[in-house]
Coordinates of all heavy atoms in Angstrom, one line a residue:
E146 N 197.5 -17.0 -46.6 CA 197.4 -15.9 -45.7 C 198.6 -15.0 -45.5 O 198.6 -13.8 -45.3 CB 196.9 -16.3 -44.3 CG 196.5 -15.3 -43.3 CD 195.3 -14.3 -43.8 OE1 194.5 -14.8 -44.5 OE2 195.6 -13.1 -43.7
K149 N 198.2 -12.5 -48.1 CA 196.9 -11.8 -48.1 C 196.0 -12.1 -49.4 O 195.3 -11.2 -49.8 CB 197.1 -10.3 -48.0 CG 197.9 -9.9 -46.8 CD 197.3 -10.3 -45.5 CE 198.2 -9.8 -44.4 NZ 197.6 -10.3 -43.0
L162 N 185.8 -21.2 -40.2 CA 186.3 -20.2 -41.2 C 185.8 -18.9 -41.0 O 186.3 -17.9 -41.6 CB 186.1 -20.7 -42.6 CG 186.6 -22.1 -42.9 CD1 186.3 -22.5 -44.4 CD2 188.2 -22.1 -42.8
D164 N 186.1 -17.2 -38.3 CA 187.0 -16.6 -37.3 C 188.0 -15.7 -38.1 O 189.0 -16.1 -38.7 CB 187.8 -17.6 -36.5 CG 188.6 -17.0 -35.5 OD1 188.7 -15.7 -35.3 OD2 189.4 -17.8 -34.8
K165 N 187.7 -14.4 -38.1 CA 188.6 -13.4 -38.9 C 189.9 -13.1 -38.3 O 190.8 -12.5 -38.9 CB 187.8 -12.2 -39.2 CG 186.5 -12.4 -40.1 CD 186.9 -13.0 -41.4 CE 185.8 -13.3 -42.3 NZ 186.2 -14.1 -43.5
V166 N 190.0 -13.6 -37.1 CA 191.4 -13.3 -36.5 C 192.4 -14.3 -37.1 O 193.6 -14.1 -37.3 CB 191.3 -13.7 -34.8 CG1 192.7 -13.6 -34.3 CG2 190.4 -12.6 -34.3
H167 N 192.0 -15.6 -37.3 CA 192.9 -16.6 -37.9 C 192.7 -16.7 -39.4 O 193.6 -17.1 -40.1 CB 192.5 -17.9 -37.2 CG 192.8 -18.0 -35.8 ND1 191.9 -17.7 -34.8 CD2 194.0 -18.3 -35.1 CE1 192.4 -17.9 -33.6 NE2 193.8 -18.1 -33.7
F168 N 191.5 -16.4 -39.9 CA 191.3 -16.6 -41.4 C 190.7 -15.2 -41.9 O 189.5 -15.2 -42.4 CB 190.3 -17.7 -41.6 CG 190.8 -19.0 -41.1 CD1 190.1 -19.5 -39.9 CD2 191.8 -19.8 -41.6 CE1 190.4 -20.7 -39.3 CE2 192.3 -21.0 -40.9 CZ 191.6 -21.4 -39.8
P169 N 191.5 -14.1 -41.9 CA 190.8 -12.8 -42.3 C 190.6 -12.9 -43.9 O 189.8 -12.0 -44.4 CB 191.9 -11.9 -41.9 CG 193.1 -12.7 -41.8 CD 192.8 -14.0 -41.3
S170 N 191.4 -13.7 -44.6 CA 191.2 -13.6 -46.1 C 190.4 -14.8 -46.7 O 190.4 -14.9 -47.9 CB 192.6 -13.7 -46.6 OG 193.4 -12.6 -46.2
V171 N 189.7 -15.5 -45.8 CA 188.9 -16.6 -46.3 C 187.4 -16.2 -46.3 O 186.9 -15.6 -45.4 CB 189.0 -17.9 -45.4 CG1 188.2 -19.0 -45.9 CG2 190.5 -18.3 -45.4
Y172 N 186.8 -16.5 -47.5 CA 185.3 -16.2 -47.6 C 184.6 -17.5 -48.0 O 185.1 -18.5 -48.5 CB 185.1 -15.1 -48.8 CG 185.9 -13.9 -48.6 CD1 187.2 -13.7 -49.0 CD2 185.2 -12.9 -47.9 CE1 187.8 -12.5 -48.7 CE2 185.9 -11.6 -47.6 CZ 187.2 -11.5 -48.0 OH 187.9 -10.3 -47.9
H422 N 189.9 -7.3 -50.9 CA 189.2 -7.6 -49.7 C 188.1 -6.7 -49.4 O 187.0 -7.0 -49.1 CB 190.2 -7.7 -48.5 CG 191.0 -8.9 -48.6 ND1 190.6 -10.1 -48.5 CD2 192.4 -9.1 -48.6 CE1 191.6 -11.0 -48.7 NE2 192.7 -10.4 -48.6
R426 N 184.3 -8.1 -49.4 CA 183.6 -8.3 -48.1 C 182.2 -7.7 -48.2 O 181.3 -8.2 -47.5 CB 184.4 -7.4 -47.1 CG 184.1 -7.8 -45.6 CD 185.1 -7.0 -44.7 NE 186.4 -7.5 -44.8 CZ 187.5 -6.8 -45.1 NH1 187.2 -5.5 -45.5 NH2 188.7 -7.3 -45.3

Side-chain angles (χ1 to χ4, degrees):
E146 185 57 42
K149 305 299 180 185
L162 301 178
D164 183 1
K165 293 306 176 185
V166 175
H167 296 93
F168 308 104
S170 301
V171 178
Y172 302 89
H422 286 301
R426 199 172 294 118

